[in-house]
Amino acid sequence: MGRATKVVLAYSGGVDTTVCIPYLKNEWGVEEVITLAADLGQGDELGPIQKKAIASGASESLVENVTQTFIKDYAFRAIQANALYENRYPLSTSLARPLIAKLLVKAAEKYGADAVAHGCTGKGNDQVRFDVAIAALNPNIKVLAPAREWGMSREETIAYGEKFGIPSPVKKSSPYSIDRNLLGRSIEAGPLEDPWTEPLEEVYDMTKAIADTPDEPTYVEIGFERGIPTSLDGKALSPVDLISELNQLAGNQGIGRIDMIENRLVGIKSREIYEAPALLVLIQAHRDLESITLTKDVSQYKRGIEETYGNLIYNGLWYSPLKDALDAFIQKTQERVSGTIRMKLFKGNAYIVGRKSENSLYSPNMATYGADDEFDHKAAEGFIYVWGMETRIWSDKVRG
Ligand code: ARG
């Protein structure tokens, strides 16, 4: 008896997930492997990937283009929550995992598979995200993770694949581990493992080096409706087109790079390089729009929710009761977060230079220092008397 009969394998076309196919069949007694590749706008050609899966022993090779869903139902939710893990990482990789998990579960149910599989190793966050999301969606499906158990080095993995006719990578393989989708790129390993080493320019692909950016700024107006970005410079765009265009505009100005040491869920620190031009710009713009459309208390309270929300995404709890409850809060707060943010993109920085909204709570007659000031200055005295009451009683006691 094998570990499972029929398995749907999350497939990227790389050596590791390809080797999973013969490994599952020959070492773990799986009878049938169906591969599933999710197109998340990573720009790979998925046609050859299908052929490769079949040549390596898969009975069927599925490719699903879910880029639009990915942006609309995952990324835009995260933008409404201003989700940044440890204040910096906009979760471009993390957000893809619950969607891939959903596709795996759906395919397993459709094809009558008793397990799903992925190629994650045992020390990353992605394995946690897959396993927990799959369990949340269908607790009866087994999850197999061959790379967590096989204990093969990179060379051994390639050699194992060659035995089953899987060609070793043609190009000298890059020293980096790279994950990419329409939202961004995550780069780790190789020379980056030394936190003191500056990343070489070669690690970047979506963002220009400052030395190569234009000498003129780019201005862009980002339109939001209920916290969702819907237009650039007045032109309504689909979620995917909006992200693609903004990636271009911001990346061209060298915006969107992050170099950080982050705390993985499994307790280790890791050095990560990220590129996520559009996503970072959108969170910055969204936050600013909230600053004129939300009241002080909602806005300040939401900050705490945002941190929790970012942690939930990072820690694999996208499908969880707390996430659902926080979503209800966030959606309520977004009802009036509509308007336009004007940004200046220049030499690696995105600056907010203007904001407007029909729902603006900014009151010119209250804010102004000019002649049309309507604020009742005298009323401040009584307010401050009461506001400072506790402090004066304390001071009297301690110093009086
Ligand atoms: N540390 C990031 C995360 O957990 C990115 C991991 C991406 N994987 C990679 N092979 N670079 O979301």
Side-chain angles (χ1 to χ4, degrees):
M1 263 296 280
R3 295 210 195 182
T5 309
K6 200 192 249 193
V7 172
V8 180
L9 167 70
Y11 190 58
S12 72
V15 186
D16 296 280
T17 52
T18 305
V19 166
C20 284
I21 304 169
Y23 192 90
L24 284 166
K25 293 170 71 174
N26 295 288
E27 313 300 324
W28 287 5
V30 171
E31 284 168 25
E32 194 182 336
V33 177
I34 297 168
T35 60
L36 187 152
D39 183 351
L40 299 159
Q42 61 270 57
D44 288 338
E45 282 187 58
L46 293 169
I49 285 186
Q50 277 181 300
K51 284 209 199 77
K52 200 168 174 183
I54 301 293
S56 309
S59 63
E60 193 144 0
S61 174
L62 314 170
V63 170
E64 306 227 21
N65 187 336
V66 286
T67 320
Q68 210 68 255
T69 311
F70 176 47
I71 303 304
K72 191 168 127 318
D73 298 340
Y74 294 79
F76 283 0
R77 293 291 179 118
I79 290 168
Q80 290 180 307
N82 300 319
L84 291 173
Y85 183 63
E86 298 189 330
N87 257 319
R88 300 179 72 191
Y89 164 43
L91 300 156
S92 34
T93 288
S94 329
L95 282 164
R97 304 310 181 220
L99 174 53
I100 297 171
K102 190 184 236 175
L103 299 176
L104 290 172
V105 169
K106 271 212 281 197
E109 288 167 352
K110 180 171 165 198
Y111 288 86
D114 50 337
V116 299
H118 59 71
C120 302
T121 66
K123 60 187 220 181
N125 297 311
D126 286 331
Q127 51 163 351
V128 183
R129 297 173 186 142
F130 281 130
D131 292 18
V132 176
I134 291 158
L137 294 169
N138 186 338
N140 299 315
I141 293 180
K142 267 184 265 180
V143 185
L144 305 181
R148 203 152 56 189
E149 294 182 37
W150 66 30
M152 294 191 281
S153 66
R154 176 91 185 151
E155 294 70 32
E156 287 162 349
T157 310
I158 292 171
Y160 184 91
E162 279 174 344
K163 282 204 300 193
F164 293 94
I166 297 167
S168 56
V170 250
K171 292 180 292 194
K172 194 183 162 304
S173 62
S174 128
Y176 307 106
S177 162
I178 301 170
D179 178 71
R180 135 159 239 165
N181 60 49
L182 185 66
L183 293 178
R185 294 172 74 247
S186 305
I187 309 110
E188 53 187 37
L192 300 172
E193 283 173 4
D194 177 356
W196 183 248
T197 300
E198 182 178 353
L200 296 172
E201 208 40 50
E202 65 181 19
V203 310
Y204 300 106
D205 187 47
M206 300 174 79
T207 54
K208 276 191 182 165
I210 301 299
D212 301 328
T213 58
D215 289 322
E216 293 296 316
T218 305
Y219 284 88
V220 63
E221 291 185 8
I222 306 174
F224 287 86
E225 283 167 32
R226 296 173 160 247
I228 299 285
T230 52
S231 69
L232 291 182
D233 292 326
K235 189 171 67 171
L237 292 170
S238 74
V240 166
D241 288 346
L242 191 141
I243 296 284
S244 309
E245 282 194 26
L246 195 53
N247 271 337
Q248 286 294 329
L249 294 177
N252 189 48
Q253 287 286 357
I255 293 164
R257 295 182 177 186
I258 300 166
D259 177 344
M260 70 187 279
I261 305 291
E262 76 187 28
N263 290 297
R264 283 193 193 167
L265 180 55
V266 296
I268 53 179
K269 291 192 186 293
S270 84
R271 206 287 182 80
E272 302 279 347
I273 305 297
Y274 296 110
E275 291 185 286
L279 191 52
L280 284 167
V281 166
L282 288 170
I283 291 173
Q284 189 185 349
H286 176 261
R287 230 186 213 163
D288 196 87
L289 185 58
E290 286 189 332
S291 74
I292 53 164
T293 53
L294 298 184
T295 56
K296 177 168 94 175
D297 56 356
V298 172
S299 176
Q300 293 185 351
Y301 190 84
K302 186 167 178 280
R303 278 303 170 99
I305 300 285
E306 292 170 353
E307 188 171 12
T308 306
Y309 200 90
N311 287 336
L312 287 176
I313 298 174
Y314 190 85
N315 295 333
L317 298 172
W318 182 269
Y319 306 113
S320 67
L322 179 56
K323 159 82 168 35
D324 284 352
L326 297 186
D327 270 331
F329 172 83
I330 291 167
Q331 289 314 307
K332 184 71 194 168
T333 65
Q334 299 302 291
E335 284 175 357
R336 297 179 64 78
V337 184
S338 303
T340 306
I341 297 295
R342 185 158 190 261
M343 297 193 86
K344 174 176 168 174
L345 312 176
F346 194 45
K347 297 278 176 208
N349 279 303
Y351 307 88
I352 311 269
V353 292
R355 65 284 277 165
K356 62 180 178 186
S357 166
E358 284 189 0
N359 302 328
S360 175
L361 302 173
Y362 180 85
S363 168
N365 292 347
M366 287 295 155
T368 185
Y369 287 96
D372 35 9
D373 182 5
E374 287 173 11
F375 192 91
D376 180 356
H377 289 244
K378 284 201 303 297
E381 194 183 330
F383 166 74
I384 296 165
Y385 174 74
V386 176
W387 174 249
M389 181 70 74
E390 199 179 21
T391 306
R392 269 183 284 105
I393 292 172
W394 162 80
S395 176
D396 211 44
K397 191 87 193 163
V398 175
R399 311 194 211 282

